[in-house]
Structures are given as C-alpha cells and as structure tokens.
Amino acid sequence: MSRKFLETDSPAWVAEGLITEAQRERLLARYPSETVRAVGLLPLLGSILVGLSALSVVAANWQNLPPVVRLGLLLGSLLAAYAGGDYFLRRGNRRVGYGLLGLGLVLFGAGIILTSQLYQLVGYDVSGLLAWVVAGVLLSYLYDSQTLVLLPILIGAAVQTYCTQALGTFSYATIGLVALGSGWRWWRQPDTLVGSLLAVGLLWQAALWVALTHAKITWFFVPAMLVYAAGDWHPNRAAGRALQGPPLVAAYLFALGLALFGETDQYAGLLRPPVLAYLGALAAVLALSVAGKRARGRLATLPDWLLLLPGFYLPGGLPLAVATLVVLYAHAGSVLARAHRATDAEQLTLGTVLFVVATMVAYFKLTWAFLDKSLFFLIGGVLLLSLSWYLRRRNAQRLAAGAAAVIAAPNHEPETSH
C-alpha cells in the first residue's frame, strides 16, 4: 500500500465510518512522503551542462591559443573546480560543493582528451580514459554524494562506447571498474536511483559487447540476468529491486517482441545461440539467483525468470507466438498474485498493465488478419475498457480488505519485507 493510495481513498473510509480520523492519521504516518529524488540530479546536470559549455567555448578557440595558455586553462579550471567544491563543502553547502567536484571530474576527462590533442598523442588504447573512470570511482568513495556515485557510471558508459565505436575493442577493465567499484559503493550504501542507473549502465556495456562481437542478441541476457541475480543477494529489498528493474524491463520487451514477430522463422533464427553453451550459462546464473532468493526469503519473485524461458528454440510460426503469449500471461499472473498477497498497490497496477498488454497482443495476433478493421478496433476497445474496469475494481476491493485488516489490529507491526 502506498501513501498516494491512502491519501486518495482514506477520506472516503472516514466518511463511511470504516475508520476514524485519528486512525487515518496513524495509517498515513506509516507511509511518510517520499523525497523528491529528482532534486538530487540537479547538481549532476548542472555540472554536465557547465562542463559542456566550457568545453565548447574552449574547443572553438583551441587552435588559436598558445600551448602554454591551453595547458594553463586545463589545469586552472581543474584546480578551481576542486578548490571551489572543497570551499563550499567546508561552509556546509553540500549541493554546490558536490556539483563543483563533479564538474572537476568532468574537466579531468576533458583535460585528458585535450592534452592528447595538444601534444598530438594518438592513442590506440583506452589507458587515458580508463584513468578517468578510476578517478571517478575513487572520488565516489571519498565523498558521501549521490551525484559523485552516478558520474563514474555515466563516464564508464561513455568510455566503453568510445572503445567499441572508435577503437573497435571492448574494455573489460572499464566494465570491471564500474561493476566492482561503483557496484561495491552501491552495495555498502544502497540507493534506488544509483541502483537503477548502475544496472542501465552495465546493460548498455553488455549490449555494446554483443554488438561488437556479433554474437546472438540472446547472449545479452546472460550478463543482464547476472545483474538481476546480484539484486537477489542484497539485504535491502528496495535497493535490490531497483537493480533488478532494468534487466526485467529488457527481458519483458524481448518476450513482447518475440510474441509480435515470432511467426517469422528468419527472425527467430537470429536469436538461437548454441544450445548447450547458452542454456548452461543461463542455468548457472539462475542457480545463483535462486540461491540469493532463498537466502533472503524472496522465492516469491522466482516467476520473474519466466520471461527468460528459451522459447525461441521452438520452430518459428504460430507455436512460438502462442508459447510466448502464454509466458506473458503467466508472468502477469505471477505479478498480480504476488501483489495481492502483499497488498501492494503499485505492484497491482503493474500487474494489471502487464495483463492488459498481454491481452492486447493476443487479440492483435489472433484477429488482425481476418477481422474487419472497424470491428477490430471496436471489439478491442470494449475488451480493454472492460478488462481495465474489472481489474481495477478487484484491486480496490483487495486493498480495502488489507487496510481493514490493518485497522483491526492497530498494534500489529508489519514484518520487514526482505
């Protein structure tokens, strides 16, 4: 149950005599308002914009400046940013201080690139830019700042993109630094925003590896689900789910694409890696994930792995499309069942959306080819509205029953979800 749901529905419960105003206040007190986390991104965005602005101005006039002036500008800007950051931190202005430190880190990377141009150092490896990642990771350990934890993840993604696109090589050191350096920093001080961005950054690097090696795209899900498995082991439930969100989204979009385009055997053929190697690697990650779920008491989330069932080994055509639709329905049903047991309004909404999407895909696949288009849209609209109304009504009844149970046991303290 979320605070937003309580704020919306609880006045009606008071009016109907289900609870008193005092009980309503007690329920609201259990769900304090969430911090506006987007505010934490402002120093990061400000640092990036100011850094890009300075970089563009200097770059536009770079060739006309004497080498000594160029080097002085680089060192001066870098020192000014770090000194300014330290000054504001000492005065207690943490946001500006961390923003300037982040700017210093951006200028450090720009300095590496511009110094290479200044002395015409043509590099064919990533050593210089790797130092940028190392500096970012070290800085994230020195200061307790969300901004400074996010920056090395973004820098790692940028450096890996440069390696694969410009140098034609994959930097295992870069992904190792981000996974172990920034990952360990997140593990010690869990944060949902950092967890989500860390997962996205690692998935981006994994996708670059698949593209560079021309491997079957399904290999992407081995490292992706390894990130998911790491979330199973984290003791903080919310932080673990934040890390697992991006891999699950990627797996769901993949299954959705298979349901929509799986009838084409040529498309399915692009997804089939060697059976033993792929299934062996995926089974090893699954075993790691199951062990983590069991250790943390989260086996209820095991149906997440339904999305990774290797249905693409089936013959292309209708059997593959139907099998994928069954998987989508089973996954949506598992989310709804879990949400009902936990009386979680957000998960109920998510499960409802997943169920409606699976229904619409099934409707499209089964009726588009032969049904009159006006009738197709009419039936589809009525089906969607009816399904949405039924699921929302059922969810509201379930949540109201859960709230009544909480009120009936006012001294009951809910168990911590792990």
Side-chain angles (χ1 to χ4, degrees), residues 33-356:
S33 301
E34 296 181 358
T35 305
V36 183
R37 307 192 67 81
V39 174
L41 289 174
L42 293 180
L44 171 65
L45 296 176
S47 301
I48 293 174
L49 291 177
V50 173
L52 290 176
S53 173
L55 193 62
S56 63
V57 171
V58 174
N61 302 282
W62 190 250
Q63 298 301 329
N64 300 324
L65 297 174
V68 176
V69 176
R70 301 181 198 176
L71 195 59
L73 277 174
L74 291 175
L75 293 176
S77 302
L78 185 64
L79 293 175
Y82 282 124
D86 183 69
Y87 170 78
F88 281 103
L89 284 179
R90 289 177 185 276
R91 293 178 64 86
N93 196 334
R94 295 167 63 87
R95 292 196 181 280
V96 176
Y98 290 140
L100 286 173
L101 290 177
L103 175 62
L105 182 60
V106 173
L107 291 173
F108 177 69
I112 292 174
I113 298 170
L114 294 175
T115 302
S116 299
Q117 294 179 356
L118 178 62
Y119 294 102
Q120 299 181 346
L121 301 175
V122 180
Y124 293 98
D125 60 48
V126 72
S127 302
L129 293 176
L130 196 59
W132 193 13
V133 183
V134 171
V137 172
L138 291 177
L139 205 61
S140 70
Y141 280 86
L142 292 176
Y143 296 95
D144 182 20
S145 167
Q146 185 188 63
T147 302
L148 296 180
V149 180
L150 295 175
L151 271 177
I153 299 171
L154 297 174
I155 291 170
V159 169
Q160 195 66 265
T161 304
Y162 174 78
C163 287
T164 54
Q165 302 303 313
L167 304 180
T169 183
F170 187 83
S171 173
Y172 292 95
T174 298
I175 193 171
L177 277 169
V178 174
L180 299 178
S182 297
W184 179 243
R185 173 66 170 77
W186 165 81
W187 186 277
R188 292 175 56 195
Q189 296 181 318
D191 182 289
T192 54
L193 178 61
V194 173
S196 298
L197 190 67
L198 176 63
V200 171
L202 291 175
L203 295 192
W204 172 253
Q205 295 198 43
L208 290 174
W209 172 77
V210 170
L212 181 70
T213 58
H214 302 290
K216 300 289 186 183
I217 61 174
T218 37
W219 279 112
F220 165 81
F221 290 103
V222 174
M225 295 311 288
L226 195 59
V227 173
Y228 173 91
D232 284 324
W233 283 95
H234 200 283
N236 185 301
R237 183 74 183 96
R241 289 306 283 179
L243 192 73
Q244 292 176 328
L248 282 179
V249 171
Y252 186 81
L253 292 178
F254 174 74
L256 200 61
L258 206 56
L260 288 170
F261 307 109
E263 291 182 4
T264 306
D265 193 56
Q266 184 179 5
Y267 171 72
L270 298 173
L271 310 174
R272 295 170 182 147
V275 178
L276 291 180
Y278 178 73
L279 294 185
L282 203 60
V285 179
L286 173 61
L288 185 65
S289 173
V290 171
K293 291 179 188 297
R294 177 174 295 174
R296 302 297 181 189
R298 301 170 186 164
L299 283 174
T301 59
L302 190 57
D304 287 346
W305 277 87
L306 286 172
L307 297 172
L308 273 298
L309 287 176
F312 44 83
Y313 284 114
L314 293 172
L318 191 60
L320 177 55
V322 172
T324 311
L325 282 173
V326 171
V327 167
L328 290 178
Y329 271 118
H331 177 254
S334 71
V335 173
L336 281 171
R338 193 166 65 235
H340 276 292
R341 284 196 300 271
T343 323
D344 188 327
E346 293 182 356
Q347 287 295 308
L348 278 173
T349 303
L350 174 63
T352 302
V353 171
L354 295 178
F355 192 84
V356 170

